[in-house]
Amino acid sequence: MPYHQLAIAQFGEPSVLTLQAASTPSLAADQVLVKVAYAGVNPIDAKTRAGLGWAAQQNKDNLPWVPGYDIAGKIVEVGDNVKSLEVGERVAGFIGFPLQGGGYSEYVVVDAESLSKVPAQIELVQAAALPLAGQTAWQALEKAKVSASDRVLILAGAGGVGHIAVQLAIAKGAEVFASCSAANVEFVSGLGATAIDYHRGRLEQQIDPVDVLIDLMGGEVGCAALACVKTGGQVLTIPTNTAERVCQQAQQLGLQAEGMLVAPNVAQNDAMLKMLAQGKLQLHIAAQFPLAEGARAHQQIESGRTRGKIVLAMGVQ
């Protein structure tokens, strides 16, 4: 059965994303075939497409390569050993990370154990936007040992990871501050955080010292935000390309600092899907693009002004 995928034909600008035809691969005994309804678009996808980062280096001889680590859809076939999932069930997951990818596709073969069942109350578009960003937020807060009464500063609080991290930190009982643009102050405040407009001056001049910094920006912005953390405080930085620099500067300031690479975790995904179903977590979808217009999705995510998440739509199911 022929279907379409959006692939990185060569490294470069968003225009290198190319629609290609594929035929359905055979299933291993522990796998399922998913008809994808939506695929999440993440900054790592654009970074890899540009030829940056480990996934790009490892796949430079495997082009064309299909990016995408977030999917949601319906199961259309199950392998012989799969007992936990059935044809017709709605599923979502964090797949193929970091080297396989494959989410920008109308159909994808996935290990059954890597998928979550999507609660009836949750639309598939929401389920597709959650896995990578949600698990990054969850694991960052865990690694930084955020707990009740902690003062936490989250950089880029309106972004895909940021707006989830804000809510999860508040659910832990933390007092949360989040940097954002003036246009996103109302949005971030609505999530329960104290919004800090970075255009109004240095962050440390706008808030008292915090216990924990969750750095989703890295580079100059991440380093500058270290001034907001009290001596002995905790710094968790996400962007891998500047993690060493941020950590070194943090340690010179007497802070505890480390980087992090997210790892797929189905139990965490299940927990957040349950929170979504119960209304305890909001997931904002900034935009949807058809699969064939993935270049526009990449242009938007590279603008750095995305509120929440972007998804690719394969067609309504």
Side-chain angles (χ1 to χ4, degrees):
M1 174 180 60
Y3 61 97
H4 290 105
Q5 302 174 316
L6 193 66
I8 297 169
Q10 62 189 57
F11 295 134
E13 298 299 317
S15 59
V16 303
L17 290 168
T18 304
L19 209 59
Q20 67 180 24
S23 54
T24 309
S26 56
L27 294 182
D30 297 318
Q31 294 180 320
V32 297
L33 177 64
V34 178
K35 183 180 182 184
V36 179
Y38 299 94
V41 178
N42 293 289
I44 190 174
D45 303 344
K47 178 179 169 183
T48 303
R49 186 218 71 237
L52 304 173
W54 192 64
Q57 290 306 305
Q58 295 299 308
N59 281 298
K60 66 181 187 294
D61 297 324
N62 297 330
L63 303 181
W65 182 77
V66 178
Y69 301 112
D70 289 333
I71 60 124
K74 289 183 180 178
I75 294 176
V76 292
E77 187 179 345
V78 299
D80 292 341
N81 292 345
V82 176
K83 307 301 180 191
S84 58
L85 298 170
E86 298 178 353
V87 170
E89 282 192 296
R90 303 189 322 146
V91 293
F94 182 5
I95 67 163
F97 186 79
L99 297 182
Q100 186 177 342
Y104 290 14
S105 183
E106 292 175 330
Y107 288 86
V108 66
V109 171
V110 186
D111 290 341
E113 64 181 13
S114 67
L115 294 171
S116 297
K117 295 181 182 181
V118 178
Q121 306 95 313
I122 305 301
E123 296 180 5
L124 287 176
V125 64
Q126 295 262 311
L130 177 67
L132 190 155
Q135 288 166 59
T136 300
W138 183 297
Q139 291 168 33
L141 296 174
E142 273 197 347
K143 203 172 183 71
K145 299 181 177 63
V146 171
S147 59
S149 78
D150 278 344
R151 289 169 54 85
V152 180
L153 172 60
I154 297 171
L155 302 186
V161 176
H163 86 294
I164 299 173
V166 164
Q167 296 173 76
L168 295 178
I170 289 170
K172 288 177 176 286
E175 182 181 3
V176 179
F177 303 84
S179 68
C180 61
S181 66
N184 285 321
V185 164
E186 186 176 344
F187 172 68
V188 168
S189 298
L191 299 174
T194 298
I196 310 298
D197 177 1
Y198 54 76
H199 290 303
R200 297 187 63 180
R202 295 179 62 87
L203 300 182
E204 75 273 16
Q205 295 173 349
Q206 298 189 58
I207 59 172
D208 292 330
V210 298
D211 302 293
V212 180
L213 169 66
I214 304 295
D215 170 26
L216 302 175
M217 293 292 293
E220 296 291 345
V221 174
C223 287
L226 298 174
C228 297
V229 187
K230 69 182 186 183
T231 302
Q234 185 79 28
V235 177
L236 198 289
T237 183
I238 299 296
T240 55
N241 57 330
T242 61
E244 185 176 354
R245 175 183 166 197
V246 172
C247 288
Q248 284 180 349
Q249 189 159 329
Q251 287 156 8
Q252 289 169 5
L253 295 170
L255 308 175
Q256 302 176 59
E258 58 185 325
M260 188 197 90
L261 182 66
V262 65
N265 186 302
V266 176
Q268 291 170 5
N269 204 53
D270 289 343
M272 284 182 283
L273 284 169
K274 185 176 180 180
M275 290 176 71
L276 275 174
Q278 295 172 338
K280 296 178 180 178
L281 182 66
Q282 301 174 47
L283 210 163
H284 183 76
I285 306 295
Q288 298 182 36
F289 295 93
L291 180 64
E293 296 180 22
R296 289 177 59 207
H298 276 224
Q299 287 167 353
Q300 180 160 334
I301 209 160
E302 287 181 325
S303 75
R305 294 189 295 271
T306 300
R307 178 189 294 178
K309 288 280 300 178
I310 297 172
V311 298
L312 298 177
M314 313 295 165
V316 178
Q317 296 191 8

